Amino acid sequence: MHRTSTRLLCAAACALAFALLALPGCSGPEVERPEEPAYVSPYDWSGLAKENSRFTYSEGGKIRSLAGIDVSEHQGSIDWNAVASDDIDFAFVRIGNRGATEGSIYLDKHYEENMAGAAKAGIPLGVYFFSQAITPEEAEEEADFVLSALGGAELSFPVVYDHEPVSGIEGRADKLSRAERTENAVAFCERISAAGYEPMIYGNKRDIAWLDMSRLEGIDVWFAEYGVETPSGQFDFTIWQYASDGTVAGIATPVDMNILFIAEDQ
């Protein structure tokens, strides 16, 4: 309600300024545009705690977070029973990716193994696709690839659209405009949603800034930011990926670490 009122006042002020400028011999007063209200996080970061390199979040003395990881073929074969015993509550498995230069789509080499192993160990799952789509049609192609690979499998967590540049190379999608990146994200998410799965957007502050999030209203964000004690994203997010060098039993390589924040009504 406050934001709507601010916009109405701004519009009225602008209309008055133009009317005054239209009068002969009148330059009109300078009209300052009201600033947007400062972003306020839904979380009280005083409840964020770190122990043994892992974050937890509490409100009113009650833990309101889950610990998770995300993996791909780069982690090799994983002992998912050991992962489950190391207090990991959920996992995202990479289902596939599009090549950043040639544009071909690939199934992650360990996707089926990871899905089966994690499910057998009782770990709730989501999946993510690393996109390099340059058109909405390619984004829809990626979504269709994901849906085909899932084959109707039930997921406890969303299907994630991960579109970001690849370090060290000139990617096919690097020069897309904000509008083009947004159209691609919308196309992917709408296709996933139409199939009955919950979509999600992944990215760091730069990646999210490249999207018009008003076009993606209602879709949760998975925010990536490393090396900080408190996340600094000025937008709402439900998962924070806070490290890429985590250590988890059953995984021989460093692994991404995540914390999911549980809403009060859950």
Side-chain angles (χ1 to χ4, degrees):
M1 179 61 71
H2 174 71
R3 180 172 296 177
T4 301
S5 300
T6 300
R7 289 177 178 171
L8 289 173
L9 289 171
C10 181
C14 289
L16 175 61
F18 281 120
L20 289 169
L21 286 171
L23 295 174
C26 181
S27 61
E30 291 187 8
V31 178
E32 293 185 6
R33 182 175 179 178
E35 293 184 2
E36 286 289 321
Y39 173 75
V40 178
S41 173
Y43 310 114
D44 177 2
W45 295 127
S46 66
L48 199 61
K50 190 175 185 181
E51 183 177 357
N52 297 325
S53 299
R54 295 188 186 180
F55 281 101
T56 58
Y57 177 73
S58 302
E59 288 181 354
K62 180 180 178 181
I63 295 292
R64 302 205 63 84
S65 64
L66 298 175
I69 58 173
D70 57 277
V71 301
S72 70
E73 61 192 41
H74 299 298
Q75 273 66 53
S77 293
I78 295 173
D79 181 346
W80 285 99
N81 288 322
V83 171
S85 70
D86 198 10
D87 297 324
I88 296 300
D89 301 310
F90 68 94
F92 281 94
V93 171
R94 189 176 77 164
I95 196 167
N97 68 289
R98 186 188 288 274
T101 54
E102 86 288 358
S104 299
I105 294 179
Y106 303 94
L107 184 73
D108 188 279
K109 293 177 182 177
H110 285 269
Y111 162 67
E112 293 179 351
E113 175 186 332
N114 283 332
M115 292 292 285
K120 190 174 182 180
I123 297 177
L125 292 171
V127 300
Y128 72 96
F129 184 88
F130 182 82
S131 170
Q132 288 290 289
I134 59 175
T135 65
E137 291 75 22
E138 284 194 352
E140 289 174 346
E141 179 188 20
E142 293 172 351
D144 289 341
F145 174 88
V146 169
L147 295 171
S148 176
L150 282 171
E154 291 188 8
L155 297 175
S156 300
F157 285 84
V159 174
V160 182
Y161 180 75
D162 172 9
H163 193 291
E164 56 183 303
V166 178
S167 178
I169 68 169
E170 184 175 341
R172 65 199 302 270
D174 287 358
K175 296 181 180 180
L176 293 179
S177 68
R178 186 168 186 255
E180 289 170 327
R181 293 170 192 265
T182 300
E183 290 297 331
N184 295 344
V186 169
F188 182 96
C189 291
E190 286 184 345
R191 200 77 147 204
I192 293 299
S193 181
Y197 291 99
E198 180 185 357
M200 178 179 251
I201 298 293
Y202 168 91
N204 58 24
K205 284 188 284 190
R206 173 203 59 209
D207 303 322
I208 301 303
W210 269 110
L211 297 173
D212 178 359
M213 293 305 293
S214 68
R215 297 283 313 282
L216 295 158
E217 188 175 355
I219 296 177
D220 286 343
V221 172
W222 175 5
F223 175 50
E225 185 179 32
Y226 307 149
V228 297
E229 296 303 307
T230 302
S232 62
Q234 298 295 291
F235 43 82
D236 289 356
F237 51 89
T238 55
I239 300 176
W240 174 31
Q241 184 186 77
Y242 58 84
S244 60
D245 58 356
T247 300
V248 173
I251 303 179
T253 68
V255 63
D256 295 339
M257 302 299 299
N258 302 278
I259 178 173
L260 179 146
F261 303 99
I262 302 173
E264 285 190 26
D265 58 353
Q266 291 181 319

